[in-house]
Amino acid sequence: MNTDFPKAPLPLPRAEDVTEELAALEGPPVIPAGLRRTLFPVITKEDVFKMLLSTRVDPAKVVADFAEAYREYVGAAHALPTASGTSSLHLALVGAGVRPGDEVVVPAFTFIATAQAVVAAGAIPVFADIEPDTYCLDPAAAERAVTERTRAIMPVHVHGLPADLTALRAVADRHGLALVEDASHAHSATFDGRVAGSLGDAAGQSLMADKNFPVGGEGGIAFFATADAHARAVEYLERHGIDYGMSWIVAAFGASQLERLPYYDEIRARNAARLAEVLGETGLFSAPHVPEGRTHAYNMYRIGLHPDAVGLGDLPVHAVKEVVHELLVAEGVPAREWQNTPIPCHIPFRRREGFGGGYPFSLNPAAARDYAPEDFPVTLSMLSSTLVLCRELRSPVEYERLERYGHAFAKVARRPDAIRKLVGGREFPLPHAKAARLG
Amino acid sequence: MDHFDTAIALSRVLTSGVIMSIERNDRELPALERLLRKVSGRTQVVLVNSATAGLHSALAGLRLGHGDEVVAPALPDAHRRFLDWLGVRVREDGTPAFAYVSPTPADVDRLGPLLTTTAGAPAVVLDLTGLGFGPAAAVLFDDEDAWRRAERLKIFGTFDLRTMWTQAETDEGVGGVQFNYRLSPLVAACVRMALTTQGARA
C-alpha cells in the first residue's frame, strides 16, 4: 500500500544536539537523513469517509455546501468557490469593480499570482514596497503609487499576517478606491478580531493543499462584501464563458478539513510561539513580528538574521544568510529563501507580453513601468536578511521535531566562527542577481 | 464507472497522502498523462483544470494570443465567448487550428477511435468535464515546444514546479500572463479510473 504513514519515529531530542559539531563540518545532523519528511496535509479517516459520502451527493451541492460553511467561518457576506487562488483573486478584483486599463496597487513582495491576477482582470499592477517589520504592503508607499487611474489596492496578508488594514482602508477611502484582500496565506488570521477575507470590499484566497487550510488539491475562494460585487463576478464568468469551477472532489476534502481547522490553527500557533522562544535566545535569529490586534496564521514563518548580535556585523548580511541557510539544511531543517527578487522584476513584468501583443499593458502605457530592484529597498533588505520555514510548524509536526528545529537554530547560532570561515573567500551575489525564484 | 470504483480511486490517493499537483511524489497526474498518450497516440499531454484552461493552453502552445485570428472547430457558445475574452478572433473558413473533443461517460469505450478523427490537428483539447469529476481537460500535442509553452502557462511560467522554481531570461513562454490551471491529483485519479475501467485502453 502506498501510504504516508511514517516509516520510523524521530528520536527524542538531546541536549548535546546543540553542542556537537556542525553537520556541514562532518558532525551529526540534528535531524537525521531519512527522518526529515514533513507530512502535510493531515489526511484522516474522517476525510476518507466524508469523501465517500460525497460521491452520492449532487456535485453542485457538495461545492455549494463547502463554500457556505467556509464563508460562515470567515464571516464574509458572499462567497464564490473557484479552481485556484489566482482565479479567486481575479474574480475578487472584478467584483470590486476593476476594469480593463485600471491600475491596482500591489506589494512588490508576494507570490507572483497576486500580480498575474491583476493582469488576468485586464488591469495593470502597480508595485509598492513593504513595511520592514511585517513584510506587508506599506500604506504610505501604496498611497504614493495611487494615480487617477487607480481602481483598487490589493494588500497581501503575506505569510499569514494581516496587512495594516486600518491604514490601507484610510488610503482607499481618501482616494475612492476598492480594498481587495489577497488572503491566500491567511486562513483564520485575524485583524481586530475579524477573520482575513471578511475585511475588504472583496478578497481572494488560495485553498491549495499546501496552505494551512487545504482542499483536495487545487482550489480557491473569492469573498465579497456586497451582493452587487458577488453578482458582478458571477455575471463576468457567464459573459466571458470562463470556467473557474471547483471540483466536488476538491470541495468534499475541504469540508472535512474545515471541521479540524481550529485544532490545526492551535497547534501551529503553539509551535510558532515555542520556536520564537528558542530563536529569541540565539541572538542571531529573530521570530516574525506580530503587531497588537492581529493574529498570524504562520502559513510561513520568516526568520530574521542579525549578524551583528553574534559579532558578524562586518560581513554582508546576505552572505551570512546564505551560509546559515546551508548550515541549517545540513542539520536537516528545510529552510528556504521563498523568493529572491521583487515581483515587478520577474520576467512577465519586465517583458509585459500579457495576453499577447502587450495587452492589457497597452491600455495604460503610463502605468506599465520598468522597475529596478532598488525601487524596493525594504523588500531587498528582507530578501537579504531572512529565511523561511513553510510546512515545518504545521500539524502533525511532532513536539520532538519542533524541538529539534530549535536545536538546529541554536547549534548554528553558537558557531559564528564557522560562519565567518565559510563566508570568507567566496563570492556571494545578491539574492536578486540570481534567476528569479517563485518560491 | 460505478461508485465502488470512484471510492477505490479516491481512497487510494488519500491513503498515499499526496494530493497536490506540485508534490514531487505525485503519481496520479503522470499516470493520467501516460494513459492519454497511449490512447491518443500523441507524444505530449498537458493536464488542466477546465475546458477553458485547455483552450487557453492549446492557443498558448500554438503561439496564438490577444490580437490573433484562429480557425476554431465547432465549439459550444460559452467557449466562443472565452476565445473572445482572450482577444482571439475566430474565423469560420479554413482548417481548424486545433480539435475539440468532449466525451461523455458513454464515450469512454470509444475514446481511442474518437481521437483518431483528430489526427493531423496540431493540438487537441480534450474536455474531460463530462466524465463527472468536476472541470478537467487535457491538451494533446506532438510538438514538444508547444507542450512546453502550454505547460508553462498553467504553472506561472515555471514549466515544472515539481523540480524547478526559477524563471530564466532564456525560457520561452514566461513573459506574459500566467495562471494556475493545475489539475488536482484526486480528480486525475478518478478520470483515469473512468477511462481504464470502461475500456479506453488503446
Side-chain angles (χ1 to χ4, degrees):
Chain A
M1 183 186 296
N2 185 19
T3 170
D4 60 350
F5 198 86
K7 289 189 171 53
L10 188 63
L12 290 171
R14 306 164 305 143
E16 54 267 37
D17 288 342
V18 178
T19 54
E20 286 176 321
E21 181 57 284
L22 292 167
L25 302 178
E26 308 303 325
V30 174
I31 301 177
L35 295 172
R36 294 175 180 176
R37 191 166 173 215
T38 311
L39 297 176
F40 190 83
V42 186
I43 300 173
T44 69
K45 57 192 181 300
E46 289 79 6
D47 296 315
V48 178
F49 185 57
K50 195 136 190 167
M51 182 72 81
L52 299 187
L53 287 177
S54 73
T55 65
R56 299 278 184 180
V57 179
D58 170 33
K61 182 171 169 20
V62 175
V63 177
D65 286 353
F66 163 72
E68 175 56 19
Y70 188 49
R71 181 204 63 74
E72 191 174 358
Y73 175 87
V74 169
H78 304 273
L80 190 55
T82 66
S84 70
T86 313
S87 51
S88 75
L89 293 167
H90 178 180
L91 295 178
L93 291 163
V94 167
V98 170
R99 292 177 300 205
D102 287 346
E103 296 170 24
V104 177
V105 178
V106 297
F109 171 63
T110 175
F111 186 63
I112 198 167
T114 309
Q116 288 287 21
V118 175
V119 181
I124 291 93
V126 174
F127 296 93
D129 211 348
I130 56 173
E131 296 178 316
D133 52 354
T134 67
Y135 312 137
C136 293
L137 181 62
D138 178 349
E143 185 156 32
R144 286 195 294 275
V146 171
T147 75
E148 286 184 351
R149 296 196 67 175
T150 307
R151 179 77 62 175
I153 301 175
M154 185 156 68
V156 181
H157 308 318
V158 79
H159 299 339
L161 177 68
D164 185 352
L165 293 175
T166 302
L168 289 162
R169 172 59 80 186
V171 173
D173 288 350
R174 269 198 295 279
H175 299 275
L177 310 174
L179 184 65
V180 179
E181 298 170 78
D182 180 345
S184 292
H185 288 179
H187 315 81
S188 306
T190 64
F191 187 94
D192 285 346
R194 293 170 62 192
V195 178
S198 70
L199 292 134
D201 299 303
Q205 185 169 64
S206 167
L207 301 174
M208 73 169 287
D210 199 32
K211 296 300 195 299
N212 287 339
F213 176 39
V215 292
E218 304 290 341
I221 193 162
F223 296 114
F224 305 93
T226 66
D228 282 352
H230 177 264
R232 203 155 33 236
V234 171
E235 187 276 334
Y236 178 93
L237 287 174
E238 174 62 24
R239 176 158 42 99
H240 295 305
I242 300 169
D243 187 353
Y244 275 164
M246 177 184 277
S247 160
W248 61 269
I249 293 170
V250 165
F253 186 82
S256 53
Q257 287 278 323
L258 181 58
E259 294 176 8
R260 303 198 301 276
L261 181 57
Y263 173 87
Y264 295 137
D265 288 340
E266 202 170 323
I267 297 271
R268 213 177 320 105
R270 183 196 70 183
N271 289 349
R274 172 63 188 142
L275 189 59
E277 281 177 17
V278 176
L279 295 177
E281 292 167 1
T282 64
L284 178 59
F285 300 109
S286 63
H289 170 68
V290 184
E292 200 169 331
R294 304 183 215 181
T295 56
H296 197 314
Y298 298 112
N299 183 65
M300 296 184 200
Y301 191 93
R302 188 167 283 269
I303 294 165
L305 270 75
H306 308 276
D308 50 334
V310 291
L312 299 174
D314 57 312
L315 300 178
V317 65
H318 72 279
V320 172
K321 183 196 87 161
E322 196 162 325
V323 164
V324 165
H325 189 183
E326 292 165 5
L327 295 177
L328 287 168
V329 169
E331 298 297 342
V333 178
R336 306 184 200 183
E337 281 193 304
W338 205 76
Q339 307 220 4
N340 61 353
T341 305
I343 293 297
C345 303
H346 282 238
I347 294 168
F349 302 104
R350 287 196 277 116
R351 293 192 189 156
R352 297 191 290 274
E353 294 165 9
F355 282 82
Y359 179 90
F361 297 98
S362 53
L363 298 174
N364 184 348
R369 293 171 204 148
D370 290 318
Y371 295 94
E374 293 72 23
D375 294 337
F376 308 98
V378 182
T379 297
L380 290 190
S381 171
M382 179 204 67
L383 293 172
S384 289
S385 64
T386 57
L387 286 168
V388 179
L389 297 181
C390 292
R391 297 182 183 183
E392 288 68 39
L393 301 179
R394 296 180 200 165
S395 180
V397 166
E398 316 89 318
Y399 180 74
E400 55 268 33
R401 187 175 300 275
L402 180 72
E403 289 300 296
R404 281 176 178 268
Y405 288 145
H407 280 187
F409 281 98
K411 184 180 178 183
V412 169
R414 283 169 53 90
R415 297 298 305 277
D417 60 311
I419 296 169
R420 179 177 293 281
K421 193 171 175 183
L422 290 165
V423 166
R426 276 174 63 187
E427 290 291 321
F428 291 91
L430 288 164
H432 64 268
K434 304 176 199 169
R437 288 185 64 83
L438 282 187
Chain B
M1 180 167 173
D2 66 20
H3 287 285
F4 181 78
D5 294 327
T6 310
I8 289 290
L10 292 169
S11 302
R12 175 171 51 75
V13 181
L14 290 172
T15 302
S16 78
V18 180
I19 62 168
M20 258 195 306
S21 64
I22 60 169
E23 191 80 58
R24 186 173 284 123
N25 298 324
D26 166 55
R27 300 176 183 180
E28 300 304 328
L29 296 167
L32 179 57
E33 288 169 355
R34 273 197 306 277
L35 175 70
L36 292 175
R37 280 197 296 270
K38 186 177 169 190
V39 171
S40 68
R42 299 271 177 166
T43 60
Q44 310 291 338
V45 174
V46 178
L47 297 175
V48 289
N49 62 7
S50 72
T52 55
L55 291 167
H56 196 174
S57 301
L59 294 174
L62 300 172
R63 298 179 192 271
L64 294 168
H66 196 276
D68 292 328
E69 277 191 342
V70 67
V71 179
L75 290 171
D77 185 56
H79 290 354
R80 295 254 169 179
R81 297 199 299 277
F82 180 73
L83 295 186
D84 186 58
W85 179 72
L86 291 178
V88 176
R89 290 186 299 279
V90 175
R91 276 174 38 208
E92 303 294 336
D93 57 315
T95 306
F98 60 92
Y100 175 80
V101 179
S102 181
T104 67
D107 293 324
V108 294
D109 279 338
R110 57 189 194 97
L111 186 58
L114 263 180
L115 289 171
T116 307
T117 64
T118 66
V124 181
V125 177
L126 178 60
D127 180 2
L128 299 163
T129 310
L131 299 184
F133 307 106
V139 188
L140 316 175
F141 297 103
D142 280 321
D143 178 347
E144 189 173 344
D145 289 339
W147 166 78
R148 188 174 290 110
R149 285 189 292 275
E151 193 76 11
R152 283 199 164 126
L153 174 71
K154 86 176 192 194
I155 49 177
F156 301 108
T158 54
F159 176 52
D160 180 3
L161 279 181
R162 280 169 264 190
T163 55
M164 187 172 76
W165 288 75
T166 57
Q167 295 185 358
E169 197 67 54
T170 51
D171 295 338
E172 192 195 4
V174 299
V177 69
Q178 299 156 345
F179 286 79
N180 173 359
Y181 282 151
R182 303 190 302 262
L183 184 65
S184 292
L186 284 160
V187 177
C190 290
V191 168
R192 184 163 66 95
M193 178 74 86
L195 295 178
T196 51
T197 55
Q198 297 199 14
R201 295 188 179 88

